[in-house]
Every structure is written in structure tokens, then in C-alpha cells.
């Protein structure tokens, strides 16, 4: 490659990552749930708030799958396309807030933290913003 120009990414790692995360029976989902639990999301929420929690996790899976696909794109494409996902993060924040409200109603004082989903989405969004700026 010429001086100052970075080589274009290889599509093979993206394909391998995609197949590993999607086709292995919910590996991405288990990673998302463990990440949420690290922010004090109650594991029992998938049972007691099944409808809202399931919808939230499905939305998260979709968004993060798109971001993973974008990870091996060219630098210019990543920069252009990542901005489009911030609207999805905004929608996800509103859904997280609503899920947190349902968690409060369901778990009341047993909920360790008042806004586990919203804080988790904010953290993911801020990480994406930092990645865009770098």
C-alpha cells in the first residue's frame, strides 16, 4: 500500500464474526444479556416482564448486529454510516426507559438500580460516539 493510505478491510473476518454470532443459537443474545446483567438488569426480568424485555432484547440484537457488520467496513464508510445508527440508539433509549418503568412496577424495592436498561443503552451509545470521533 502507498504511504498514508490504509489497506481496505477484508470481508472474511466480518463473515466469520457474523456467522459465529448469529448462527450459533443466540450467541449475540447471550452476550447482550450478560452485558445487561453487568448493569444490574435483573435476570428474572426475562420471565416476569417477558413481553417488554423480549422486545427490547430483539431490538438490541438487531442494532448491534448492524454495528458488527459495520465494524469491518472501510473507515470512510464506518464514519458515514455510524451516524445513521444514533437515531436507532435514541429509539432504544426510549424503549429502555419504558422497560425500566415496567421493571420498577414489577420488582419494586427489589430492583437494585432504578434505570439499568437506560444506563446500559447510554453507555453503548457513548461508546459508539467515541468510536465515531476517533
Amino acid at each position: 500500500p502507498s504511504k498514508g493510505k490504509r489497506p481496505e478491510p477484508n470481508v472474511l473476518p466480518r463473515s466469520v464474526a457474523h456467522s459465529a454470532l448469529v448462527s450459533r443459537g443466540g450467541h449475540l443474545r447471550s452476550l447482550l444479556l450478560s452485558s445487561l446483567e453487568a448493569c444490574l438488569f435483573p435476570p428474572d426480568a426475562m420471565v416476569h416482564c417477558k413481553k417488554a424485555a423480549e422486545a427490547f432484547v430483539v431490538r438490541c440484537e438487531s442494532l448491534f448486529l448492524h454495528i458488527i457488520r459495520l465494524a469491518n467496513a472501510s473507515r470512510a464508510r464506518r464514519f458515514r454510516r455510524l451516524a445513521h445508527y444514533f437515531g436507532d440508539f435514541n429509539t432504544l433509549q426510549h424503549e429502555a426507559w419504558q422497560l425500566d418503568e415496567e421493571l420498577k412496577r414489577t420488582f419494586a424495592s427489589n430492583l437494585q438500580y432504578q434505570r439499568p436498561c437506560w444506563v446500559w443503552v447510554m453507555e453503548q451509545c457513548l461508546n459508539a460516539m467515541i468510536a465515531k470521533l476517533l
Side-chain angles (χ1 to χ4, degrees), residues 12 14-15 26 45-46 52 75 95 100 102 111 114:
L12 182 61
R14 180 180 60 210
S15 298
M46 294 305 289
R75 189 176 178 146
E95 289 179 14
D100 286 337
E102 187 166 335
L111 192 60
Q114 296 297 308

Side-chain angles (χ1 to χ4, degrees), residues 18-72:
H18 181 266
S19 67
L21 290 172
V22 175
S23 65
R24 288 196 181 168
H27 187 64
L28 177 61
R29 181 186 192 84
S30 66
L31 290 172
L32 283 170
L33 288 173
S34 66
S35 178
L36 272 166
E37 287 173 14
C39 281
L40 302 177
F41 178 77
D44 293 341
M46 294 305 289
V47 175
H48 300 295
C49 303
K50 186 173 178 71
K51 185 177 179 183
E54 183 67 28
F56 178 73
V57 170
V58 166
R59 166 87 79 182
C60 291
E61 280 180 303
S62 174
L63 177 59
F64 285 101
L65 188 57
H66 287 295
I67 290 173
I68 289 167
R69 285 184 189 140
L70 188 59
N72 286 320

Side-chain angles (χ1 to χ4, degrees), residues 73-94:
S74 70
R75 189 176 178 146
R77 181 171 286 159
R78 271 195 319 261
F79 185 80
R80 282 192 319 267
R81 294 182 97 190
L82 188 57
H84 296 284
Y85 294 118
F86 292 127
D88 294 333
F89 272 117
N90 185 38
T91 302
L92 196 60
Q93 280 179 277
H94 291 288

Side-chain angles (χ1 to χ4, degrees), residues 95-114:
E95 289 179 14
W97 188 272
Q98 291 171 348
L99 178 56
D100 286 337
E101 289 295 319
E102 187 166 335
L103 291 174
K104 276 199 246 181
R105 285 190 299 274
T106 303
F107 293 98
S109 63
N110 293 330
L111 192 60
Q112 291 180 341
Y113 186 70
Q114 296 297 308

